[in-house]
Amino acid sequence: MKIESICCIGAGYVGGPTMVVIAKQCPHIKVTVVDINQARIDDWNSNDCGELPIFEPGLAEIVKETRGRNLFFSTNIDKAIDEADMIFISVNTPTKTYGKGKGMAADLKYIELCARQIAKVSKQDKIVVEKSTLPVRTASAIKNILDHTGNGVQFQILSNPEFLAEGTAVQDLLKPDRVLIGGDASTKAGQKAIEALVDIYANWVPNDKILTTNVWSSELSKLTANAFLAQRVSSINAMSEICEMTGADIKEVSKAIGMDSRIGPKFLNASVGFGGSCFQKDILNLVYIAKSYGLNEVADYWEQVVLMNDHQKNRFSDNIVNTLYNTVSGKKIALLGWAFKKDTNDTRESAAIRVADNLLNEQANLFVFDPKVTEEQIYADLDYLGNRFPEDNKNLLQVCSTPYEAIEGAHAIAILTEWDEFKAYDWKEIYEQMQKPAFIFDGRAILDKSKLEDIGFVYYQIGRGN
Ligand code: NAD
Ligand code: UGA
């Protein structure tokens, strides 16, 4: 089966970059990315790629090379489905905010809408690929909808979860650790569908990195990968608290354990807590799945990863309050960083949001600086929590366009994102401008403790005891 035309439904953080890279590596395939969000599609089509909706290093260059050649962005979803041999579903699968499974289960309404639209429009056999992260066994629901509402055409369902991380998406896609394809190898048609998708990736990914499994293993592997990664962060964060109590240093502990080849050195940075759109959502989804099978111990085990993460964020803000003589009411506190990690403007589930909210509850005056996040986004994140009126958020928190504006006259600085530029600041100058004693709470452990203490700061580093 030779694929000549691909459609991807969903032009977000995953659908966009993934299809851009497929278009680059497969010039013989026409790739059309569609979305219901007209503004997002307009941005993907923006002149000279000036306003792409997603900031990722290296992305704009590839869009310039491929757009209009074999890569197209459109809101004409029916046409793109009709023309495609293979359709990727890459829409959002957020945590449910209503009804059964509220706050835990994945909301699959957007997935179902896609399946129904594909069924309605398709006049020829198609391969449907799950790119979104989905609960295990979702493929059977999609197949059911397609088979019962379609026009009698044959659909093959594949699972092909995405493992890219934001900030390194292009490199992750060009050189993936592995590509995972789940399909039904028990039938000839299923085998052909798997081969068709393998052939696409084989244009640039070495064969030994393309794994094929059954559909359920593939769906579950994606949730498992995110659960393991998040668990590593919660594990090192749990140890960071013990370090602070005992005088150990989490960086030294991370290095010591990371040199064990069975543990490995990556993903062992203690922090103010993990954020991002997926870790919490996917673990809660896993917890919900386990509970729905009556596996309560399994559910409790994984839920602890999220609870530990909440604890880490809360204890960071508690420490600020306790250290500032048990009150931050009316005190100016500078927050450096709002994004959930460096090199992205994404703030979804960022630890900064929780820390800020806790400090606002204590009536602190917050001054926030982030090199990439907009003022609108920061207020939107706080307003979304619904803990106070939008005008109160605006009164209590100012968004600053320079770090110095945030720092001048502050009682304390909290570092919440590990932006490289923070390391290069003139900390001596900053010290001069602050109230004394001048406190720094380094939630990313990026600054040099002894240098800052020599300047005169009272310096607290996550995971480092005195
Ligand atoms: P996103 O919100 O950035 O993008 C999803 C897009 O789908 C939106 O633009 C939305 O308008 C569109 N959409 C929703 N319903 C639609 C419909 N019926 N028809 C057409 N378009 C529709 O989400 P994302 O971050 O790209 O995540 C998508 C999926 O990929 C999720 O399941 C997520 O868990 C998974 N994932 C995300 C990442 C990541 O780094 N963000 C990484 C791996 C996997
Ligand atoms: C993560 C996974 O790394 C991807 O493989 C996955 O595809 C993606 O989720 C997804 O499914 O959405 P992402 O959330 O973009 O990618 O970024 P990460 O680099 O994993 O960081 C997640 C959070 O953990 C960040 O807040 C980061 O600061 C934090 N983190 C990470 C730490 O606190 N310490 C570490 O050592 C590593």
Side-chain angles (χ1 to χ4, degrees):
M1 195 185 294
K2 203 165 171 299
I3 303 298
E4 290 174 349
S5 177
I6 286 177
C7 158
C8 174
I9 309 180
Y13 282 88
V14 167
T18 312
M19 292 301 129
V20 169
V21 168
I22 290 184
K24 174 182 164 57
Q25 306 294 40
C26 309
H28 53 287
I29 298 178
K30 180 181 174 189
V31 178
T32 308
V33 189
V34 292
D35 204 293
I36 40 175
N37 184 334
Q38 180 73 54
R40 209 162 214 192
I41 292 297
D42 290 347
D43 286 347
W44 279 111
N45 283 323
S46 63
N47 276 342
D48 214 22
C49 298
E51 285 165 42
L52 294 187
I54 289 159
F55 169 73
E56 279 293 339
L59 184 65
E61 289 77 2
I62 309 181
V63 177
K64 278 184 197 160
E65 174 192 335
T66 50
R67 201 178 60 190
R69 180 188 79 184
N70 64 326
L71 175 67
F72 303 90
F73 294 94
S74 163
T75 49
N76 194 338
I77 302 176
D78 283 356
K79 180 165 177 277
I81 291 174
D82 181 38
E83 288 176 1
D85 310 309
M86 183 179 271
I87 301 159
F88 287 76
I89 302 181
S90 191
V91 300
N92 35 329
T93 50
T95 304
K96 261 185 102 176
T97 54
Y98 55 90
K100 195 163 170 247
K102 179 179 170 180
M104 283 248 158
D107 191 342
L108 298 180
K109 71 178 169 208
Y110 306 109
I111 296 287
E112 177 163 350
L113 282 171
C114 289
R116 288 187 184 276
Q117 191 161 7
I118 293 168
K120 189 180 79 184
V121 172
S122 299
K123 298 195 262 334
Q124 286 137 18
D125 295 354
K126 310 252 182 225
I127 299 170
V128 175
V129 184
E130 300 174 341
K131 187 50 112 176
S132 298
T133 301
L134 296 169
V136 56
R137 297 200 75 87
T138 305
S140 75
I142 295 180
K143 176 115 184 86
N144 211 275
I145 293 166
L146 290 171
D147 288 348
H148 286 91
T149 57
N151 303 311
V153 301
Q154 294 298 311
F155 294 103
Q156 286 300 318
I157 320 290
L158 299 177
S159 159
N160 173 220
E162 185 48 60
F163 296 100
L164 67 80
E166 289 179 29
T168 53
V170 172
Q171 275 316 306
D172 294 344
L173 288 163
L174 287 172
K175 284 186 175 234
D177 284 353
R178 78 317 206 173
V179 164
L180 180 56
I181 298 172
D184 178 8
S186 68
T187 66
K188 263 245 142 41
Q191 277 168 23
K192 278 190 175 169
I194 295 168
E195 277 162 28
L197 187 53
V198 168
D199 287 348
I200 291 175
Y201 284 109
N203 282 295
W204 78 98
V205 180
N207 272 330
D208 60 348
K209 295 203 165 180
I210 305 178
L211 281 184
T212 56
T213 65
N214 80 33
V215 184
W216 320 130
S217 304
S218 172
E219 288 177 331
L220 188 57
S221 297
K222 172 65 196 177
L223 294 181
T224 310
N226 273 0
F228 269 60
L229 289 169
Q231 180 204 43
R232 250 173 107 89
V233 179
S234 275
S235 296
I236 206 72
N237 282 345
M239 300 319 291
S240 76
E241 195 170 7
I242 299 189
C243 286
E244 288 167 34
M245 293 296 154
T246 55
D249 179 344
I250 197 65
K251 283 192 172 181
E252 294 179 349
V253 174
S254 293
K255 189 166 181 195
I257 63 166
M259 285 173 77
D260 184 325
S261 60
R262 294 167 302 174
I263 296 175
K266 292 183 184 167
F267 246 74
L268 288 178
N269 293 321
S271 68
V272 56
F274 62 74
S277 63
C278 293
F279 278 179
Q280 175 169 309
K281 154 178 96 68
D282 292 346
I283 292 180
L284 292 176
N285 181 4
L286 194 62
V287 170
Y288 185 75
I289 292 168
K291 279 191 177 155
S292 68
Y293 286 105
L295 308 176
N296 293 326
E297 290 77 8
V298 177
D300 290 348
Y301 175 77
W302 285 111
E303 190 168 17
Q304 200 56 39
V305 173
V306 174
L307 296 178
M308 182 64 222
N309 196 46
D310 289 339
H311 169 69
Q312 187 76 348
K313 292 182 266 188
N314 291 334
R315 84 175 180 89
F316 185 80
S317 52
D318 284 350
N319 182 35
I320 295 178
V321 178
N322 296 341
T323 308
L324 297 186
Y325 317 109
N326 292 318
T327 177
V328 290
S329 178
K331 288 183 182 166
K332 175 169 178 175
I333 299 179
L335 303 187
L336 296 185
W338 191 267
F340 81 97
K341 62 189 272 195
K342 71 173 182 178
D343 294 337
T344 177
N345 58 350
D346 195 343
T347 65
R348 291 180 286 181
E349 302 293 341
S350 178
I353 303 171
R354 173 60 52 210
V355 169
D357 188 56
N358 288 346
L359 294 173
L360 290 175
N361 284 342
E362 295 291 332
Q363 301 182 343
N365 285 339
L366 300 183
F367 288 69
V368 184
F369 170 75
D370 186 287
K372 278 266 185 262
V373 179
T374 63
E375 179 170 338
E376 295 72 32
Q377 187 60 50
I378 292 173
Y379 286 124
D381 290 336
L382 281 174
D383 293 346
Y384 181 78
L385 297 179
N387 288 344
R388 58 195 77 73
F389 294 116
E391 51 273 28
D392 291 337
N393 285 329
K394 283 217 161 64
N395 284 336
L396 287 167
L397 181 146
Q398 315 295 317
V399 180
C400 304
S401 49
T402 69
Y404 294 95
E405 199 187 321
I407 282 156
E408 194 180 1
H411 291 261
I413 295 172
I415 296 175
L416 301 178
T417 311
E418 73 280 24
W419 288 103
D420 289 333
E421 68 170 67
F422 296 163
K423 296 183 212 164
Y425 287 173
D426 182 344
W427 288 99
K428 208 164 171 359
E429 170 68 24
I430 289 170
Y431 178 75
E432 301 303 332
Q433 305 210 358
M434 289 177 65
Q435 306 258 3
K436 308 293 172 327
F439 294 91
I440 298 183
F441 298 89
D442 185 351
R444 296 288 185 163
I446 55 172
L447 300 182
D448 185 327
K449 181 178 163 75
S450 58
K451 263 195 199 150
L452 290 160
E453 285 178 346
D454 286 349
I455 293 173
F457 283 106
V458 182
Y459 176 76
Y460 159 84
Q461 187 176 79
I462 198 94
R464 187 155 178 184
N466 288 314

